[in-house]
């Protein structure tokens, strides 16, 4: 019973709050005076958050690379990013989850399906013997054996939180931008939404094998341990973007729910691609905070914009070629 309560609390949290942020939408009645593009860019870069500038005609898009999870004492300047936000003409925020009361009831009704492995299935069945041995090694100090029956989704949450030291934190770039947009009444709108019934259906319907890449990635992050969490954050604030995307923890976060979910992940990625393309048709400065990995991974948004011929100003995002 204790395990089921923990599973329920965890799934409710990630479905309604943590994984897909709450809607941030404001209609500006008295927007702040427009500043020059150069002023906005200089101010934003003082924050320490990696940022790229893409311009087409009279449209300028500032893409701030969001770090999903950071230590509370990370030394960066959210006030500088807030000041830059107040000088932009509009802000794009993350997708939202539209979760109804009926969705929550269904989640509660099916919590055992979501939180536990199917009868007769063990983690070794979808991971294979070698990776299961790695899992047992990182869980060797765990007194409770309930992890052996936890679903891959819940097991990955536990590995990332308890073994890899992951914490979402509350000093992230997206939080700073949302606060500033509300304060300055800058037009701010979510790039789209994912329906709650689709989120829950995906959690119910996916077989354990669909989450094998997630669990393997979470094991790799757990093997590095909590020091990997801080090293990734330090690389982010120093604009060492390729180090962030090479981090086992960063890889795991995007191979696990929601971005790694076979059904939900492609929706989230598609919403960002569509929104970024649309922003380049808007006059003035649009500031958007998007997951750093989505922007900077091989074949991601920045690679695609570069291939399309756009001039991209900002930190290097590609890993140095191996000799």
């Amino acid at each position: 019973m204790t395990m089921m309560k923990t599973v329920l609390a965890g799934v409710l949290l990630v479905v309604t709050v943590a994984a897909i942020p709450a809607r941030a939408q404001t209609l500006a009645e008295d927007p702040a005076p427009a500043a020059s593009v150069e002023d906005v860019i200089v101010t934003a870069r003082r924050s320490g958050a990696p940022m790229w500038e893409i311009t087409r005609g009279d449209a300028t898009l500032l893409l701030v690379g969001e770090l999903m999870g950071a230590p509370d004492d990370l030394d960066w300047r959210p006030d500088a990013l807030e000041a830059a936000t107040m000088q932009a003409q509009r802000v794009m925020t993350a997708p939202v989850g539209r979760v109804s009361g009926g969705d929550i009831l269904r989640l509660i009704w099916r919590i055992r399906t979501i939180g536990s492995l199917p009868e007769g299935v063990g983690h070794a069945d979808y991971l294979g013997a070698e990776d299961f041995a790695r899992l047992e090694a990182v869980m060797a100090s765990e007194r409770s054996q309930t992890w052996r029956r936890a679903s891959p989704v819940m097991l990955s949450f536990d590995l990332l939180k308890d073994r890899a030291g992951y914490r979402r934190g509350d000093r992230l770039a997206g939080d700073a931008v949302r606060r500033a947009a509300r304060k300055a009444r800058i037009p701010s709108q979510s790039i789209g939404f994912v329906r709650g019934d689709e989120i829950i259906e995906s959690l119910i319907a996916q077989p354990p094998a669909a989450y094998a890449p997630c669990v393997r990635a979470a094991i790799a992050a757990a093997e590095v341990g909590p020091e990997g969490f801080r090293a990734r954050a330090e690389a982010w604030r120093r604009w060492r973007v390729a180090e962030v995307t090479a981090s086992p923890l960063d890889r795991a976060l995007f191979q696990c729910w929601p971005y790694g979910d076979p059904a939900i992940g492609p929706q989230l990625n598609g919403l960002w691609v569509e929104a970024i393309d649309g922003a380049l048709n808007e006059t003035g400065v649009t500031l958007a905070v998007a997951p750093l990995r989505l922007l900077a991974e091989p074949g991601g948004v920045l690679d695609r914009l570069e291939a399309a011929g756009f001039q991209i100003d900002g930190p290097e995002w590609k890993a140095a070629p191996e000799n």
Side-chain angles (χ1 to χ4, degrees):
M1 181 63 71
T2 300
M3 178 185 174
M4 283 298 105
K5 289 181 179 178
T6 301
V7 170
L8 177 58
V11 175
L12 283 172
L13 177 64
V14 297
V15 168
T16 59
V17 180
I20 305 178
R23 177 177 296 275
Q25 180 173 355
T26 310
L27 297 178
E29 297 177 3
D30 187 19
S36 71
V37 174
E38 291 76 13
D39 288 342
V40 181
I41 293 169
V42 169
T43 303
R45 285 179 175 156
R46 288 178 184 148
S47 71
M51 187 197 73
W52 293 269
E53 172 197 355
I54 303 98
T55 299
R56 176 162 66 184
D58 294 330
T60 296
L61 173 62
L62 302 182
L63 289 173
V64 179
E66 174 75 287
L67 188 70
M68 292 175 58
D72 289 339
D73 61 350
L74 182 66
D75 183 17
W76 75 290
R77 293 187 54 191
D79 56 322
L81 190 55
E82 291 172 356
T85 301
M86 293 178 183
Q87 300 176 78
Q89 275 70 63
R90 67 196 64 83
V91 167
M92 296 194 313
T93 62
V96 298
R98 289 186 175 174
V99 182
S100 69
D103 295 331
I104 298 300
L105 289 175
R106 186 180 182 215
L107 175 63
I108 295 171
W109 181 255
R110 299 300 301 273
I111 194 62
R112 287 186 180 276
T113 302
I114 294 171
S116 303
L117 283 167
E119 289 297 324
V121 176
H123 293 300
D125 296 324
Y126 68 89
L127 286 176
E130 182 178 347
D131 288 320
F132 182 66
R134 294 170 60 210
L135 174 61
E136 287 200 303
V138 298
M139 299 298 287
S141 62
E142 181 66 36
R143 292 183 179 180
S144 171
Q145 298 299 299
T146 54
W147 65 268
R148 295 182 183 275
R149 296 304 310 153
S151 70
V153 172
M154 297 311 302
L155 176 62
S156 67
F157 290 162
D158 288 343
L159 285 169
L160 295 176
K161 180 173 69 73
D162 297 335
R163 306 294 165 175
Y166 175 76
R167 297 291 185 274
R168 180 178 182 273
D170 60 358
R171 296 180 59 198
L172 306 181
D175 294 334
V177 167
R178 282 187 288 271
R179 285 194 301 268
R182 285 195 298 267
K183 181 178 179 180
R185 307 178 78 176
I186 302 296
S188 173
Q189 189 165 3
S190 163
I191 64 169
F193 68 92
V194 179
R195 288 169 40 185
D197 59 340
E198 294 177 343
I199 295 171
I200 295 168
E201 180 58 34
S202 181
L203 287 169
I204 292 171
Q206 298 296 340
Y211 295 109
C214 160
V215 176
R216 291 190 181 105
I219 292 170
E223 289 170 336
V224 174
E227 58 270 23
F229 178 54
R230 176 163 290 280
R232 169 177 167 269
E234 288 294 329
W236 174 81
R237 78 178 185 91
R238 296 179 184 274
W239 296 5
R240 299 199 295 259
V241 176
E243 289 185 29
V244 177
T245 56
S247 159
L249 175 58
D250 205 72
R251 289 174 176 170
L253 289 171
F254 281 83
Q255 287 186 283
C256 291
W257 197 91
Y259 275 94
D261 185 277
I264 302 303
Q267 290 189 53
L268 296 173
N269 289 335
L271 288 171
W272 274 116
V273 169
E274 182 179 352
I276 287 168
D277 287 347
L280 289 170
N281 293 317
E282 295 278 357
T283 300
V285 178
T286 301
L287 191 147
V289 182
L292 178 64
R293 189 174 195 87
L294 184 148
L295 299 177
E297 68 182 344
V301 168
L302 293 172
D303 279 358
R304 186 175 60 83
L305 290 172
E306 184 182 58
F310 286 96
Q311 176 67 39
I312 302 173
D313 295 322
E316 179 57 57
W317 68 90
K318 298 178 184 179
E322 296 182 0
N323 294 328

